[in-house]
Amino acid sequence: MTALPEDTGTATYQLTPEAGGTGWTAPLGRLRPPEAIRTAVLYVCVQRGERHPALPVERAEEEGRNFADLHGLRLIETIIDPFGEPGPRLREGWSRVRALAEAGRIATVVVRWPAAISPERSHELRAHEIAWLKDHATKVRYSWPPLADPGMG
């Protein structure tokens, strides 16, 4: 760090690499201590099966944990919401996700697929939530293999 907000009269930190080089600025809300960069929460919100009600939740949890392990993410919590409410902000579990992001305790939210945040018919709600998380220095990563980011490592 080369300058604090109180040094510059701005709301940002001026940073430079330890070895020198080109610097950059960052608002306080986007800074994380090194140990927090790999901190994640697993969010599960899936429709339960008719024959085996718990199976979809179990699969989503297992897949999310495997994804986190594969990508070196440290899961601090698994949050499970009941399926059915399209508005993520109306769900207790999603409110917990937002609180963790706002407090700077997580850098990543692992979900199985986009519809876990909100169904396709409510995609604008999902886009709003993903943008809000991004504004709080938190990424959304999908654990379902066809959507998983192989270059995330």
Side-chain angles (χ1 to χ4, degrees), residues 85-102:
E85 171 57 57
R89 293 183 71 184
L90 299 175
R91 293 186 226 126
E92 186 176 320
W94 189 257
S95 294
R96 174 77 179 141
V97 170
R98 287 175 62 101
L100 290 168
E102 192 166 39

Side-chain angles (χ1 to χ4, degrees), residues 24-57:
W24 66 96
T25 61
L28 176 60
R30 292 217 164 220
L31 297 178
R32 298 277 188 268
E35 65 276 4
I37 293 171
R38 294 283 184 189
T39 304
V41 65
L42 173 58
Y43 179 73
V44 177
C45 183
V46 296
Q47 188 169 7
R48 297 194 178 261
E50 286 185 31
R51 299 182 93 203
H52 304 284
L55 189 59
V57 172

Side-chain angles (χ1 to χ4, degrees), residues 117-118 122-133:
I117 300 171
S118 67
S122 302
H123 61 89
E124 69 284 347
L125 297 175
R126 178 185 330 130
H128 180 268
E129 291 303 302
I130 292 171
W132 185 92
L133 288 168

Side-chain angles (χ1 to χ4, degrees), residues 62-139:
E62 180 182 9
E63 187 176 86
R65 286 190 180 93
N66 290 340
F67 178 88
D69 288 345
L70 179 66
H71 295 288
L73 298 172
R74 185 174 62 86
L75 290 176
I76 63 165
E77 197 170 328
T78 298
I79 298 170
I80 302 172
D81 260 334
F83 181 81
E85 171 57 57
R89 293 183 71 184
L90 299 175
R91 293 186 226 126
E92 186 176 320
W94 189 257
S95 294
R96 174 77 179 141
V97 170
R98 287 175 62 101
L100 290 168
E102 192 166 39
R105 297 211 34 230
I106 57 173
T108 304
V109 178
V110 178
V111 299
R112 191 165 201 202
W113 44 53
I117 300 171
S118 67
E120 284 306 313
R121 70 181 184 277
S122 302
H123 61 89
E124 69 284 347
L125 297 175
R126 178 185 330 130
H128 180 268
E129 291 303 302
I130 292 171
W132 185 92
L133 288 168
K134 184 177 179 182
D135 287 345
H136 290 82
T138 304
K139 298 176 185 177

